[in-house]
Amino acid sequence: MNNFEIRELPGKGRAMIATKNFTTDEVIFEEEPFVSRQFSWNMAYGYAACDHCMRPLETVLENVRRLASDPQVEVPLLQHDPTAQWVAQFTQCPRCKVRYCSEDCLMEAQKRYHRVACMGAFRSDDTHPINVLNETWKKMHYPPETGSIMLIVRLMALYQQSTKKAEFLDHLQSFQSLIVNREQKIYHKMLGENFEQQMEQLYLAFCNAFSGEEFSMFKTPDAFKTLMAILGTNSQGIATSVLSQWVAKVSDLPLPDSEKAQLDAVIDGLYAKVGEFAGEFLNNEGSGLYLLQSKINHSCVPNACSTFPYSNDIVVLKALAPIQEGDEICISYLDECMLERSRHSRHKVLRENYVFICQCSKCRAQASDPDETSDEDDDDEMDDYEDDDDMN
C-alpha cells in the first residue's frame, strides 16, 4: 500500500500528496522504470552497462583503467569492489550478444521486450533501420546527453510484445499532461535551432524503422512529436558508477586516521587521472520513464529526493525533511549548486529544460528580487511561459 496519492491541484495539475507522516531519510517508495535505456553516445564510447537495468559491467579496476586510458593504473582494496559479486553472473543474449548483469535481467528483458527487439546479427549492420535511426539521432544530440531516441525504440518493442496493449497505452498517456501547447519549446531544447528540419529527418527514419501496420498509431507526425515531447519532459536521468560505489564503500571503512588520509589521497589521485582523459563523463548514463516518479512536482525547497542506491535503474524516493500528512511531496529538478542561485537563474534553467515557471514558496518569497541574469534572457520568451496554465 502506498503512503501517498496522486491528486489534481487547482492551477497546478497533478501532484503527489503524502497520506502519512514521513521522517527525514525515510523511504517514501522504490520504483522500477516503465522503460529505461542507456544513452546512445554513452554506449558508443564503451561505457559498459547491463542492457536492462544499467548496472555496471566492469570491475572497478577495469573502469578506472578505461576512464584514465591507462592500463597501468592500480586500485587498492579490490576486495571491496562492488562489481565482484556480480561478475560470475554476467551473461548475454545468445543471438545479438547484448550483455546483461544476470540471468534474471536477461529473462526479464526477454519477457517484456527483447524477444521482438533482438536484432541478432543485424546489431552490427550499419544499414539496419534501427541503427540508421540511432545514428541520425546521434548526429543531432551530442554529449552531454539528456535523452535518446533508443528509449522510444524500446517503448515500441514493449508495445509490440505486450499482451495488454490498452494498459500500455494508458501508461503512455499518463506521461503527456505537461506537454500540451509546449512542443516547439521542447523540440528546440533537444535538437537546437534547426529542430524542424531535424525532427523531419528523425520522423522519416523512425517510420522506416517501424514500418509494420501495428505501429501505425505512432507514425503520424503528431504522434511522433508527442513521443519526442514525452522523452524531453518526463524522462529521469540515470547514472551508475562502479567507481563511485567503490569510493563510498572504502570511505566507510573503520581505518586509523593516518590510513584514512592515505586512502583519501589515493582516491583524489584516481579521480585526477580519470578526469584528465574522461573529463566529467565518468558514469554509465541513460534515462527512464517512471510512472510514479514522473508525477512529482519540482520545488526549489524540496522535501524529498530521488536516489539510485543500488547502482541500477531502480529509483528510491527519500524524505529530505519531515513531511506531514497532506503535504505535497516535491523534489528538485535542479542540482544543489543551481538551487543556491538567484530566482531568475533558476527560472531560466527550469523553463529551458522543463518548460515551466516555478511558483514554490522560495520563488514567491523572492519575487521582488532583481533579475540578476536578465541580460542573458529573452523577455518575450518569459512572457510565452507566463501564459502557460500548468506551473509547478
Side-chain angles (χ1 to χ4, degrees):
M1 177 180 175
N2 292 328
N3 294 308
F4 55 85
E5 60 185 19
I6 307 300
R7 299 179 191 168
E8 291 289 326
L9 298 185
K12 191 169 188 178
R14 66 191 182 191
M16 182 175 287
I17 307 299
T19 56
K20 60 154 279 187
N21 296 338
F22 291 95
T23 59
T24 301
D25 291 329
E26 185 174 353
V27 172
I28 300 170
F29 67 77
E30 297 186 8
E31 182 183 16
E32 294 184 8
F34 179 58
V35 62
S36 68
R37 193 69 193 266
Q38 188 176 2
F39 288 150
S40 296
W41 280 109
N42 193 260
M43 182 182 293
Y45 281 131
Y47 289 74
C50 174
D51 196 61
H52 180 67
C53 78
M54 284 195 58
R55 186 184 301 279
L57 296 180
E58 295 175 304
T59 66
V60 67
L61 184 60
E62 291 170 336
N63 181 252
V64 168
R65 287 179 173 179
R66 176 179 60 80
L67 291 175
S69 189
D70 184 352
Q72 303 304 316
V73 175
E74 295 296 335
V75 177
L77 300 171
L78 291 179
Q79 66 270 32
H80 299 288
D81 184 344
T83 308
Q85 62 179 315
W86 291 94
V87 171
Q89 300 183 53
F90 289 173
T91 187
Q92 63 183 20
C93 171
R95 294 183 61 229
C96 67
K97 311 305 180 185
V98 163
R99 299 176 67 202
Y100 297 91
C101 68
S102 65
E103 192 70 22
D104 287 344
C105 271
L106 171 58
M107 293 177 64
E108 186 66 16
Q110 292 280 9
K111 175 184 173 182
R112 296 188 62 211
Y113 55 83
H114 193 69
R115 181 168 51 81
V116 300
C118 181
M119 296 170 63
F122 292 106
R123 180 170 171 242
S124 58
D125 182 356
D126 293 341
T127 66
H128 190 281
I130 295 294
N131 290 332
V132 171
L133 175 61
N134 190 34
E135 288 303 312
T136 301
W137 168 262
K138 286 166 62 181
K139 292 174 182 176
M140 300 175 182
H141 195 83
Y142 290 93
E145 298 172 271
T146 58
S148 173
I149 195 70
M150 298 306 287
L151 192 68
I152 295 178
V153 170
R154 182 154 291 174
L155 272 175
M156 294 300 97
L158 277 167
Y159 173 75
Q160 186 179 10
Q161 194 167 319
S162 174
T163 58
K164 299 178 180 179
K165 287 183 168 52
E167 180 180 287
F168 173 94
L169 294 173
D170 284 344
H171 288 327
L172 196 60
Q173 179 71 30
S174 74
F175 291 111
Q176 295 184 30
S177 67
L178 293 177
I179 63 177
V180 177
N181 298 324
R182 302 180 181 184
E183 288 91 343
Q184 285 198 337
K185 302 182 184 80
I186 298 166
Y187 309 146
H188 184 278
K189 178 61 183 177
M190 285 195 296
L191 301 176
E193 293 293 336
N194 298 320
F195 71 91
E196 291 181 346
Q197 177 184 351
Q198 293 184 330
M199 183 65 76
E200 178 66 18
Q201 293 173 356
L202 274 176
Y203 173 63
L204 293 175
F206 174 80
C207 291
N208 191 44
F210 296 97
S211 56
E213 184 63 28
E214 61 195 309
F215 300 110
S216 59
M217 72 175 66
F218 303 108
K219 291 194 297 181
T220 67
D222 286 344
F224 178 68
K225 288 179 180 178
T226 296
L227 289 174
M228 290 294 293
I230 289 173
L231 175 66
T233 58
N234 286 275
S235 60
Q236 163 70 45
I238 302 167
T240 63
S241 168
V242 64
L243 175 58
S244 64
Q245 274 194 303
W246 174 83
V247 168
K249 289 184 70 172
V250 299
S251 296
D252 286 340
L253 293 176
L255 300 175
D257 289 345
S258 59
E259 293 184 27
K260 176 75 78 173
Q262 291 177 355
L263 178 60
D264 289 343
V266 168
I267 292 172
D268 289 344
L270 290 175
Y271 274 117
K273 286 181 180 294
V274 299
E276 289 176 6
F277 184 76
E280 62 183 288
F281 302 105
L282 303 183
N283 303 325
N284 301 321
E285 296 182 346
S287 63
L289 294 175
Y290 294 81
L291 292 170
L292 288 177
Q293 195 266 358
S294 66
K295 309 300 189 294
I296 307 174
N297 288 324
H298 164 85
S299 172
C300 297
V301 280
N303 55 14
C305 65
S306 297
T307 65
F308 293 87
Y310 308 125
S311 200
N312 59 14
D313 60 7
I314 296 175
V315 64
V316 177
L317 189 75
K318 298 179 67 174
L320 286 174
I323 300 174
Q324 302 301 310
E325 180 180 350
D327 287 352
E328 182 180 3
I329 298 171
C330 293
I331 60 176
S332 173
Y333 299 174
L334 306 174
D335 61 31
E336 293 182 9
C337 180
M338 181 54 66
L339 282 177
E340 298 303 315
R341 297 188 64 184
S342 69
R343 172 181 179 270
H344 196 78
S345 295
R346 299 196 306 273
H347 279 199
K348 181 178 186 292
V349 172
L350 288 170
R351 72 173 183 266
E352 287 180 351
N353 290 276
Y354 302 101
V355 202
F356 71 87
I357 297 297
C358 182
Q359 298 290 344
C360 71
S361 58
K362 182 176 181 179
C363 288
R364 291 197 302 271
Q366 296 175 343
S368 60
D369 288 1
D371 291 348
E372 297 179 10
T373 59
S374 58
D375 58 329
E376 301 174 13
D377 297 313
D378 184 339
D379 291 334
D380 292 336
E381 182 184 8
M382 176 69 84
D383 292 340
D384 289 341
Y385 284 87
E386 289 174 344
D387 288 338
D388 290 334
D389 292 329
D390 294 328
M391 297 182 183
N392 282 326

